[in-house]
Amino acid sequence: MPVWDDLVGQERIQTQLAAAARDADAQVTAVTDGTAPPAASKMTHAWLFTGPPGSGRVTAARAFAAALQCTSPDRALGGEPGCGFCDGCHTTMVGTHADVSSIAAVGSQILVDDMRDTVRKSYTSPATGRWQIILVEDAERLNEKSANAVLKAVEEPAPRTVWLLCSPSLEDVLPTIRSRCRHLSLSTPSVAAVADMLVRRDGVEPSAALAAARATQGHVDRARRLATDEAARERRATVLKLPLRVDDVGACLKAAQELVDAAAEDAKQMAEEVDTKETEELRTALGAAAGTGGRMPRGTAGVMKELEDKQKRRRTRTQRDSLDLALTDLTGFYRDVLALQLGSALAIANEDIRHDLERIAKASGPERTLRRIEAIIACRDALDRNVAPLLAVEAMTMSLRAG
């Protein structure tokens, strides 16, 4: 199936990217054949994909990268780039293409050390593919030094290098970088579009697909996880019980502790397998037999310590991402409460717990609900500022109780 199939509800963006991929193909052909390149082209060397969480900005960027690397024989017959079946498309989509480098934040920031090798690679010619492609999944997390490194590479790119930057909004990226990129703005897909994708691509029952899409308000990845993962549904149900458990101070503190512990456990489970594999691979590369626990060669302690620091940063970010997901669910809960209090015609996202929503709505007024939503937003801001998770969540649960 074409690489664009996972791009949900973004027909306008898909059309623009497909046109750019066709022009890029013409540019490569012109260089190969020694002919003049097209006079006007929709292709450029740097792109900036923005959109709210769940809109699919990274999915769009990766699909575009696959279309640029597409080697389908049908291309010579006028076929659209991005067939989804050739080696170029497949390896790009699964993340193993030699000429497609993906950079994501390990911790709260993308450090200059994480970007140095990638920037250096951006100046090299493609090894096997048609383009050298650098995909930065969290451009908003570039710190000052790493952003400056990217800026220099984007200002003076190699002829066959393409930068694809992804960020929630334009304001999250340095003006000097975004001014050198072609901007594509994605929107949150409709609930119906996400539900259709779950049915068509994942074989989810239509009613379950609609419930997951509505509960996540069009967030594609979360909707898929909720529809296909029983553990995810259980975690969400637990989080949505929290507003019913903050009747006294002790209950607030207990609920906060359980929420933080659950996020830490999620991070631990996700990290264990990856960390073990990374550590064993590095030990083997440095000369120690994998799994023996033998002494490492001299001069390798610093390298191992660097890996441990990276893994620690990743676990911290994973825990905070898990907490952020819980806070998003809580925000949706109180949004539904507010809709009921105001008699809004807006569809309820958490229809499966309408009884609980109505109970909270009757027990308070819109002003208290708005203050509770503000408390959740304040908690997310505190986590972004590296406040200790337990302190931030305890402050939030106490505010939820007070209203």
Side-chain angles (χ1 to χ4, degrees):
M1 61 186 67
V3 297
W4 313 107
D5 272 15
D6 277 340
L7 194 56
V8 181
Q10 309 292 347
E11 289 76 13
R12 176 181 58 85
I13 298 297
Q14 177 181 332
T15 299
Q16 289 179 260
L17 293 177
R22 287 194 296 271
D23 286 354
D25 191 44
Q27 289 182 23
V28 173
T29 301
V31 171
T32 303
D33 297 344
T35 57
S41 176
K42 297 181 176 64
M43 182 60 188
T44 188
H45 73 284
W47 298 76
L48 176 57
F49 297 79
T50 65
S55 58
R57 54 183 183 265
V58 176
T59 301
R62 189 169 293 281
F64 183 41
L68 292 176
Q69 302 289 23
C70 182
T71 57
S72 169
D74 293 340
R75 298 285 293 277
L77 304 175
E80 288 292 319
C83 66
F85 297 102
C86 69
D87 186 65
C89 286
H90 176 71
T91 54
T92 300
M93 295 302 287
V94 300
T96 59
H97 196 293
D99 295 316
V100 180
S101 302
S102 294
I103 303 297
V106 175
S108 60
Q109 296 181 333
I110 299 180
L111 306 179
V112 67
D113 289 343
D114 300 328
M115 288 300 306
R116 188 170 288 120
D117 290 341
T118 303
V119 169
R120 188 180 299 116
K121 184 178 180 181
S122 74
Y123 289 107
T124 64
S125 298
T128 60
R130 305 168 71 83
W131 297 88
Q132 186 73 257
I133 299 174
I134 311 297
L135 169 57
V136 183
E137 298 183 13
D138 305 300
E140 76 280 8
R141 295 181 183 267
L142 290 165
N143 64 17
E144 183 179 357
K145 291 183 179 179
S146 57
N148 286 334
V150 170
L151 174 60
K152 292 177 182 178
V154 171
E155 281 180 328
E156 301 175 1
R160 296 275 290 278
T161 294
V162 180
W163 283 85
L164 308 178
L165 309 179
C166 303
S167 172
S169 70
L170 276 173
E171 290 70 25
D172 292 322
V173 180
L174 281 179
T176 47
I177 292 180
R178 66 184 189 232
S179 66
R180 290 164 173 79
C181 299
R182 183 166 299 168
H183 177 222
L184 294 177
S185 178
L186 285 74
S187 58
T188 301
S190 68
V191 168
V194 175
D196 177 70
M197 182 273 296
L198 292 174
V199 173
R200 179 168 42 87
R201 294 295 308 276
D202 298 284
V204 179
E205 288 294 325
S207 58
L210 184 59
R214 185 184 294 120
T216 57
Q217 292 296 286
H219 192 300
V220 178
D221 292 335
R222 288 182 56 214
R224 175 179 281 125
R225 192 178 304 116
L226 199 60
T228 59
D229 185 353
E230 179 64 30
R233 291 193 290 273
E234 291 176 358
R235 284 194 296 271
R236 174 177 171 272
T238 300
V239 169
L240 294 181
K241 289 294 183 183
L242 188 146
L244 309 175
R245 300 174 52 203
V246 291
D247 295 331
D248 56 64
V249 173
C252 289
L253 300 180
K254 182 179 180 182
Q257 185 68 65
E258 290 177 356
L259 196 60
V260 172
D261 288 346
E265 183 61 28
D266 282 348
K268 180 181 178 182
Q269 290 178 358
M270 294 177 66
E272 278 181 349
E273 183 177 347
V274 176
D275 289 356
T276 301
K277 181 180 179 182
E278 280 183 345
T279 301
E280 292 299 338
E281 287 178 349
L282 183 57
R283 287 174 58 84
T284 301
L286 294 175
T292 64
R295 180 176 296 178
M296 296 294 297
R298 286 193 177 189
T300 60
V303 179
M304 294 299 297
K305 180 64 167 58
E306 184 178 340
L307 177 62
E308 290 170 4
D309 290 343
K310 175 184 175 181
Q311 292 172 343
K312 183 178 179 180
R313 297 201 314 271
R314 184 168 58 206
R315 283 194 296 271
T316 299
R317 184 188 172 188
T318 302
Q319 179 182 357
R320 298 197 174 183
D321 285 348
S322 181
L323 271 177
D324 190 69
L325 182 60
L327 298 178
T328 300
D329 287 333
L330 276 179
T331 304
F333 180 98
Y334 284 111
R335 166 195 171 277
D336 287 347
V337 169
L338 187 63
L340 292 174
Q341 290 170 331
L342 298 177
S344 171
L346 195 66
I348 298 298
N350 299 290
E351 188 66 46
D352 54 325
I353 56 169
R354 176 179 278 270
H355 176 74
D356 293 336
L357 297 171
E358 291 176 342
R359 173 182 162 187
I360 298 295
K362 291 176 182 178
S364 63
E367 296 83 4
R368 293 184 68 185
T369 301
L370 285 172
R371 286 196 293 269
R372 285 165 172 158
I373 292 174
E374 289 171 355
I376 299 171
I377 294 172
C379 181
R380 298 178 75 171
D381 290 342
L383 292 173
D384 284 341
R385 297 194 306 271
N386 291 323
V387 173
L390 184 57
L391 291 178
V393 178
E394 284 179 345
M396 180 196 71
T397 55
M398 294 295 288
S399 296
L400 294 180
R401 173 176 175 269

